[in-house]
Amino acid sequence: MDSIEVGRQKAERLHKDGVAYGHNPWEPYGFVCAEAARRDLIVEEVAKGDVRLYGGRAVYDADSLLIIHEQSGDRFTDAFLVAHEIGHAEFGGGEAPSQATKIDPLQASEAVPLGVDRVVDYSHRQRREVLMNVFAREFLLPRSWMRDLHLDERLTAAEIASKCGAPHAVVAQQLLDALLLPPIVIPEESQVANLPLTTDQSAAAEHDGTPLLLEAGPGTGKTKTLVGRIEYLISKGVDPASILVLTFSNKAAGELSERIAARHPQAVASMWIGTFHGFGLDIIRRFHDRLGLPRDPRLIDRTDAIGLLEDEYPRLGLKHFKDLQDPTGNLAEILAAISRAHDEVVDANAYRKLAEVMLTRAGDDRERLQSECHLEVAKVFAAYEKLKLDAGSIDFGDLVALPVRLLETHEDVRAHLASRYKHILVDEFQDVNRSSVRLLKALAGNGRNLWVVGDVKQSIYRFRGASSFNVARFGREDFGGGERRRLTRNYRSVKEIVDVFSTFAAVMPSSKDSEVGLDADRGPSGYEAEYRSVDFVDDEITAVAETIHNMREAGYRYRDQAILSAGNERLTRFADHLEHLGIPVLYLGSLFERDEVKDLLSLLSIIIDRRPMGLLRVAALRGYATPLSDVVNFLAYVRELDCGPMKWYAALDNAPDLSGPGRSALRRIGDLLNGFLPGSNPWDVLATVLLDRTRMAAEFAVAPDVRSKSQALAIWQLMNFLRVQPSAPGLPIYRVLERIRRLVLLADERDLRQLPIAAQGIDAVRLMTMHGSKGLEFSVVHIPGLNEGSLPRSAAAMVAHGISPPDGMIEGAEGKGTDAVKAALLEEQECLCYVALSRARDRLFLYSPTKKSNGHRCARSSFIDRLAGHLQVQHIRPALSINALEENAVPITFEGRVVYTDRQLSLYERCPRRFLYTHVLELGGRRRETAFMKLHVAVQKVVDAMRNREALTTDQLKALFEETWVAAGPVDHGYRDEYKSIAWQLIRFYVESVGDMRVQPSEELRLAVDGGEVVVTPDQQLAGASGQIVMRRVNTGHKHSKEDEKLAAAAFQLAATMHRPGCRVELVHLSDATVTPVSLSAQKLANRRQSLSDVSRAVGAGHFPAKAEITCPRCPSFFICGRLPEGSFTKKILA
Amino acid sequence: MNLNDREVILYAFAIEPNHDRQTVERYLRQYPEIAEDLIDISSERRLREAAWVQSNDAIADPHWKEAWEQFRQHKPQGVSSGQAVSPFSTFRGQAFAKLAETLSVPRSFLTALRDGLVQASSIPERFVRRLAQTMGSSIDSLRNYFANPQASLLGRAFKSDDKPSQQGQVTFEELVQCTNMSTEQRQRLLEDCKDYGLDRGRPAEG
């Protein structure tokens, strides 16, 4: 995207020129017309749809020195159209008149890396239009001007907008860019990139006659050679339109495109450069009718797919993947299995056949179970394909799989495309999966003009189906007669580092039997790579911190240094602690779980929540600080009022029990959001908050520290995300909050962790995953966490989650599907390490702790042992130390003894923080009500109604159920009958499980523990014929693992046997149709009793730490979780 | 060679009935300086011709077909290569601006004529005469040019990633009505229309 930034900066300069010339930027249309005239151009207006517009909205014609634009009806839009065309005039390059069709004053300079944008990058021509949109906005309202107006003259976005007649959104977008992003420094053209190709490189670039696989290790000039190849083809007179260049990321495609455009602007416009997925989508659009799809099929992501399947779920009748509470998790796993099948071009039918074969061959129960699971996946697969087709949608997996099937079954289409693309080039060939190879085979025929480059040692996308198998087959089974060449000289790293990763590679399974050594062009530096062991995990952080300081003294800036880790958890910990140690770090982490982002999301939630729990978080913000007790009292008052969203604002004066400062702080929060409606657009709301109603963005703009800069980047990223949301019915704020929950739950927000390009100039240590470091380089690289079990992780642990493919699905893998997955994952770990090691230019430091926190030995990674002889080894005892970043106790006083129920207790056990929000502060809160949730509510109501009642006749029961169902069940759902029949089954089980026992009134059981009391009210008390008493807890959902051994169960058993010695205690789970006895041993009961006292004391002491779990997004308090307002709070007893 | 000549040659080449080897070689010999563009177009043309001849379904997108049909319909009749030199070719940049000024018409009025957006039969004789006089070309060549719209109208379709788009035409009088100009300018052009002998509803104020 560099050319866009170049264009933006040029627009900014031209704007200043115009102002210096005396033109008035506050009159945008007059300004652009005067600027056009200064360029000898005349601006003419015509009606919309005039023939001279050729279907567009504006035209620039160099031959007649003319800009024509439509009369848009809005002067700013007119000005924007003219500015857009002035951009074309400034940049030239088109012999044909330029014509603007897609005018977007809000065009983002960086696309949001989610959804369709992730797949389809702008084509060269579109990129030009993007550039002109960015140019036009900048020419009219340059960032520097906006910044000055907001910071120095203190004008709000709304004031600027009204003064120059521009839409608020456009001014706001400019201000957000100007205030939240650091200024971008355009890097000098890399010297190496401009050097001529070396002999090896040019021999590879000019290869002719057979398919070529160029093995290009790290730092050997891979991209340069690829560009060289394209330039060679152009120089030979090859028609650029016949060149197809396939890459794995839009970023790579964009970079290639720009590098070629610099010297061959005409040629690049007609080449096809983009990702496999983007190319696939292009084919699907071109031949949509052959695929039975609409002209522009909707691309759905995993979140959409789960939504589609969730509706269908009650009809599928699954056994192994049954989840009557929330099928999201199972569906996500099944979708991953389906996506893996797509990688191998295996459709639902073929999948089912594979599963059937497995079933017939199954030798034991475990194998039978596995096969049955696969059959269920096949069932969902078939249903999913049909749902997609009916909806005219496709998913990411289809983008390559559908074109493959199309080309393999329609010879005319294949012939047409094969004759169109005579030269096919593939970047990162090690990352292709089987379906991509089949696409290439169909397109390239004998592959004479196929040219691919890759490094099998850097294959880190195994989970996407990439396989060294494809590299191994090149020139043999695939693309027979193909040759291989190898680039052998590394231009990036010093010899010591090249030796380290080459030594590592020598025994990598994916590169066995092949040459892996590289010559280091830079020669030796005199500094060996170092391995620094430390005692404990925390010492690792301080050891890294000290090394960072040392390297800084040696002349390396923070930004020259990177910390690479296999997983995000370690990075989060490092980021927190390094920041406390005063080292600036650049790490966004999980965007939606960052404090400043949660603050804004909580603010949004207030607008739509009847019970505005978001107040609790906002009340902790500077400028809005409200004492804790005031917020809690006020929320209790709002709960009683039971009014619509934001109606509390008007009732603020009447609220009792508020302190003066508290009341006025709450008023300020109300003022901040006043006037917004539940239907407001989230981007508009936050833009107004940031730029009109507060000086928040302004404060970020002037804050000098890296932490604030990271926060500003995170907010910018959030706003960029909010700006483009898929359109759907419902309240936009509610929808976006639900979408965020789901994205986090499915870990589909990872791409948002990438830093915007503008972050490049910030002087801070880079923290990133090894995956994320691919293709980058740093002067100094630190790799902590090199322990056995961390890297490499055990394959068994990795395949514990997820569904392994059925046997025989993965082409080239013999034997069990599970084994194939394990082998691939192990290979991937090796590749990850190789990638990480080879990122370093000058210095490389590896770290690992040697002891666990309990003092037990913690073995270092076998990967380190492999590098023996190439590492300088030392054990470090850092002088620095880190303070535990503990959460402070919540200052709560309980009046009287703490009393709570067993259900509350089990919540504390799951997450003490959630216990605080739910039972101490009683926030309540809004969650998405799925059909399943409604089903459970209805069943629970029936169970409650039957408590303490004699057995009902079937008719009575049916009547009760009908009545409850109508009131609480998902009666509006398309599949209500299916849901109802499931609910009825649950109730039937509930009734049947009683058998011939008699229902007795259940009694309240109290159990005293140190510092408190637990109250248990059984859902059922039964008496058997022999007088045996049975007490039951009835749960409508599924049983959690070891639920019968948890604290709540123990409290139940303790309380029940105390009241009724010898009674039986049971847990009933209706969704599982099980009855589980609770019969903990005396020893266990004694332990649990101790734990119960511990919990009581912890609650009394205000100890409510959050337990971060992958299920957090399901928690009602997800957005507010974290900071609390200042002050203390007195709580009456709990239960 | 200026840009305009290049366009004219490329256009002529593009509308050659076929793009076999002889045709391509003939052009390459004559215009080696634009070889790259010629090859570019020839492969594109060849591919489309092949696709068209082989099977109507080779390109399966119905919208493409539609557009292609329109494109074909616009193909000028009776124009052979080399004949389609635009009388506007020497009026570029300031020369064009001057021309519009001399004729006292807005530039966009003139580009519409230049680009074949006006039905040839609707252009008044008197205007053509005035235009020919100012441009220093013959009335016949102008008439011929207007009857065979070319230049950028079709030039737009040259780029391979564009599908040809439908482009309508307007009458001279419609063009007068939908172009911003002074009352005097409009008056004069409408007078031209009158002279053409077809009084098709003058504006109320006229």
Side-chain angles (χ1 to χ4, degrees), chain A residues 40 42 44-45 50-52 54 61 63-66 95 97 125 239 270 289-290 295 416 419-420, chain B residues 43 47 57 59-61 63 92-94 96 106-108 111 114-115 156 159 162 167 178-180:
Chain A
D40 289 334
I42 274 187
E44 289 191 41
E45 285 183 277
D50 189 282
V51 283
R52 284 162 286 191
Y54 293 94
D61 183 355
D63 283 355
S64 54
L65 299 175
L66 176 65
E95 76 282 10
R125 177 161 297 199
D239 174 9
S270 44
D289 52 343
R290 302 281 185 102
R295 188 169 157 71
H416 170 72
S419 69
R420 176 97 166 78
Chain B
S43 57
L47 185 65
D57 291 320
I59 310 285
D61 183 337
H63 298 266
R92 299 164 52 85
Q94 290 300 345
F96 188 94
R107 289 183 200 173
S108 73
T111 58
R114 180 198 65 189
D115 297 345
R156 265 160 223 285
K159 278 290 173 226
D162 258 7
Q167 186 56 56
C178 66
T179 304
N180 275 342

Side-chain angles (χ1 to χ4, degrees), chain A residues 358-433:
Chain A
M358 266 181 89
L359 187 62
T360 55
R361 289 190 190 154
D364 55 30
D365 283 351
R366 202 181 55 82
E367 289 182 4
R368 246 187 306 281
L369 179 78
Q370 252 186 356
S371 318
E372 283 170 8
C373 286
H374 287 314
L375 280 170
E376 286 199 349
V377 173
K379 199 170 172 182
V380 179
F381 198 164
Y384 177 55
E385 295 299 300
K386 184 166 181 319
L387 283 171
K388 269 191 309 185
L389 201 62
D390 291 349
S393 315
I394 50 174
D395 67 11
F396 289 100
D398 290 328
L399 290 175
V400 182
L402 285 181
V404 169
R405 287 198 197 104
L406 178 74
L407 266 65
E408 289 181 352
T409 52
H410 292 75
E411 177 51 28
D412 57 335
V413 176
R414 196 205 62 76
H416 170 72
L417 290 172
S419 69
R420 176 97 166 78
Y421 301 110
K422 297 252 172 43
H423 290 270
I424 302 176
L425 292 82
V426 182
D427 191 14
E428 310 276 15
F429 187 72
Q430 76 280 356
D431 289 334
V432 299
N433 54 31

Side-chain angles (χ1 to χ4, degrees), chain A residues 41 75 148 165 212 295 352 357 391 395 405 449 493 646 683 745 926 1023 1061 1084 1122:
Chain A
L41 301 174
R75 252 339 186 194
D148 292 347
L212 178 78
R295 188 169 157 71
R352 183 174 47 77
V357 171
D395 67 11
R405 287 198 197 104
N449 289 325
S493 313
M646 287 302 291
W683 189 90
L745 191 64
R926 177 172 183 158
K1084 279 189 177 165

Side-chain angles (χ1 to χ4, degrees), chain B residues 87-88 110-121 123-124 127-129 131-132 135 138-150 169 172:
Chain B
F88 286 94
L110 208 50
T111 58
L113 287 160
R114 180 198 65 189
D115 297 345
L117 299 175
V118 185
Q119 284 168 20
S121 60
I123 306 173
F127 181 80
V128 179
R129 215 179 308 130
L131 188 60
M135 291 175 77
S138 73
I139 294 176
D140 277 352
S141 71
L142 272 180
R143 276 274 170 228
N144 186 30
Y145 177 78
F146 292 141
N148 298 293
Q150 34 192 283
Q169 283 185 317
F172 185 83

